[in-house]
Structures are given as C-alpha cells and as structure tokens.
Amino acid sequence: MEEYMLETRHISKAFGKQLAVDDVSIKVKKHTIYGLLGPNGAGKSTLLKMLTGLLRPTKGEIVINGHPWSRKVLKDIGALIESPALYGNLTAYENLLVHAKLLHLPDSRIQEVLNIVGLENTGKKKASQFSLGMKQRLGIAKALLDHPKLLILDEPTNGLDPLGIQDLRKLIKSFAENGITVILSSHILSEVKQLADYIGIIQNGKLRYEGKIDESQDLEKLFIDVVNKQ
Ligand SMILES: Nc1ncnc2c1ncn2[C@@H]1O[C@H](COP(=O)(O)OP(=O)(O)OP(=O)(O)O)[C@@H](O)[C@H]1O
Ligand SMILES: [Mg+2]
C-alpha cells in the first residue's frame, strides 16, 4: 500500500520573476497531520493552492495517493484555502446543498457534516450573519462533504477565539483518527505543536526543515533557529 498521501517533487511557482515556491519536496504520510509553518509571504498558501489546482506549478510534480496530480485526484481532496467562499444569502444547509447537488451526494450527507462541525443548530440564519468561526466551520463542512482522504486547511484557526481554536483542534485530531490525512498551515506554533505529527518550515519559498515533532519539543526555538539561520 502507498505510504504517502501526498508528495511534492521539486515543485516551484513563479509569479513573474519571483519564485514564491522554490523547489519544494515534501512527503505527507497517510493518516498523519502535517503542519506547514513559515513567516508571512513564505509561500505556504501558494503551495497549498497548487495542491488543490487553484494554481499550476511552474515546475515539478505533485503525487496524491500514488497518482500524479490531475483533476481526477480532486475527488480525494477537501480544502479550505484562505477564507471560505460562501453564499451569504443562504443558510448553512443551503450552502452545502448547492455543493452536495454538484457532487451528486445524498442530502443526508449535509446533516452529517453539519453535525461534525457543530453547526447543526443554525437553522434559518444566513451565512452572511455568521461569526468568523461559524464561517470557518461551514468552510470545513464543505471540504468534508465528499469524504476526502486528504484535507487541506490554510490557517484554519484564523480569527477564532481560544475556545473555537480548541474545538477546531479536537475536530482536526478526530479527522486524523478517522483515517483522513491533514495538511494545514498556521502561524500559531503552540497550535501546531499540539496537532501535528510532522512539520515543514518554509521561508522565501524554500523548504528549510522537515521532521517529526512531539509535544515535548521546543517548536518556537526550532522555528526561530531555522528561520534565523538563513
Ligand atoms: N497571485 C499572485 N501574484 C503575484 N504574487 C503572488 C501571488 N500570490 C502570492 N504571491 C506572492 O508569493 C509570495 C508567497 O505568498 P503566499 O500567500 O504563498 O505566502 P504565505 O506563506 O501564505 O503568507 P501568509 O502567512 O501571510 O499567509 C508572496 O511574496 C506573495 O506576494
Ligand atoms: Mg497564506
């Protein structure tokens, strides 16, 4: 069986003369949580966007579950990149219904994912009236609809309160326990330390560090050492 859910092989993305992602090779083992760290502008979102097909790599290869990247692999990928695209005038249920129809999923799946993210009681409230945390949750529900094997989350705790962050952390852990592989980016080192099994640190588009982590590690020191070494 394939050991890795995701591999990037020397991928780069150029915007004009700037290499936003520069020859990055990462490996994400199945059923693990991989945390992507790096300063602002390091290239994290650009890397994640290439995984979901929002951007095309200038060079290199992406392999998902043993298959070279193509539109077909999107079936296995759920993603929340930057802020979720929602229909403000629709309820949580209706937002998901639009996607469930497109994906030919049974309506019953909508209630399932609403339960998973804790939005089952939002009733007639429209998405435009949701708090930031509720919007994030709805974005994650959307990413989960089609039973992804790989979940890609770009700064999922952005704008959440401490309780929301804790809830989301539990939720993400539960995904991994249920056989979903997760790659997420974050600025919050303490979060990543509690969540991730592996981390990658990127800076100026380059992968500076990749390795296994555990809760005993001083991630702050590692991050600062890696970023300052350059
Ligand atoms: N569409 C684009 N056109 C031109 N340059 C871009 C584009 N998208 C990103 N960039 C540039 O690529 C670099 C990496 O940006 P990216 O958004 O990937 O960083 P990031 O690591 O996600 O940062 P942050 O932590 O602030 O979210 C930045 O210098 C950014 O200005
Ligand atoms: Mg970003």
Side-chain angles (χ1 to χ4, degrees):
M1 201 178 83
E2 188 59 39
E3 185 182 0
Y4 297 105
M5 179 51 69
L6 161 72
E7 278 183 69
T8 70
R9 296 181 184 155
H10 304 285
I11 58 166
S12 297
K13 178 68 192 178
F15 294 116
K17 282 187 189 147
Q18 186 197 0
L19 271 176
V21 169
D22 187 358
D23 195 28
V24 169
S25 300
I26 61 167
K27 285 184 175 194
V28 181
K29 277 196 176 150
K30 280 189 176 164
H31 314 322
T32 62
I33 302 179
Y34 188 103
L36 201 55
L37 300 169
N40 289 127
K44 302 179 295 298
S45 298
T46 303
L47 180 63
L48 297 180
K49 282 177 187 168
M50 289 192 279
L51 305 179
T52 61
L54 284 171
L55 288 173
R56 248 170 209 284
T58 312
K59 269 191 200 155
E61 214 188 337
I62 298 167
V63 180
I64 307 279
N65 201 8
H67 303 285
W69 198 97
S70 71
R71 290 269 149 206
K72 261 200 260 173
V73 305
L74 289 178
K75 175 101 184 74
D76 289 338
I77 298 180
L80 174 59
I81 305 265
E82 292 170 344
S83 44
L86 303 170
Y87 300 103
N89 58 338
L90 301 183
T91 65
Y93 187 94
E94 290 163 350
N95 262 283
L96 296 174
L97 186 62
V98 173
H99 296 282
K101 292 278 177 228
L102 281 172
L103 296 165
H104 306 291
L105 298 171
D107 292 1
S108 58
R109 180 65 184 151
I110 299 172
Q111 206 54 52
E112 281 173 21
V113 292
L114 285 173
N115 288 338
I116 293 172
V117 300
L119 282 182
E120 64 275 25
N121 294 321
T122 54
K124 292 197 170 124
K125 192 174 260 195
K126 294 190 162 54
S128 61
Q129 294 155 0
F130 279 12
S131 72
L132 204 53
M134 291 163 78
K135 286 181 186 163
Q136 286 298 88
R137 281 165 190 264
L138 185 51
I140 293 173
K142 192 174 120 187
L144 288 173
L145 263 181
D146 203 8
H147 303 279
K149 295 192 176 101
L150 173 65
L151 191 61
I152 298 171
L153 303 171
D154 191 15
E155 293 185 45
T157 52
N158 218 355
L160 299 194
D161 63 30
L163 263 182
I165 291 179
Q166 199 184 42
D167 281 356
L168 194 62
R169 192 195 308 142
K170 285 190 194 144
L171 197 60
I172 293 171
K173 282 235 183 223
S174 76
F175 296 152
E177 283 157 13
N178 287 304
I180 299 178
T181 307
V182 182
I183 177 167
L184 57 90
S185 76
S186 178
H187 287 119
I188 310 169
L189 299 180
S190 60
E191 272 310 307
V192 173
K193 191 164 113 176
Q194 291 176 65
L195 259 180
D197 305 300
Y198 292 85
I199 58 156
I201 300 177
I202 62 172
Q203 185 188 22
N204 292 330
K206 290 196 170 71
L207 186 71
R208 305 290 191 194
Y209 179 90
E210 186 176 59
K212 207 168 178 2
I213 58 156
D214 59 57
E215 289 206 29
S216 67
Q217 200 147 15
D218 189 345
L219 189 53
E220 195 127 307
K221 183 173 183 306
L222 173 70
F223 181 82
I224 290 169
D225 285 352
V226 167
V227 169
N228 277 344
K229 213 166 64 188
Q230 306 304 319

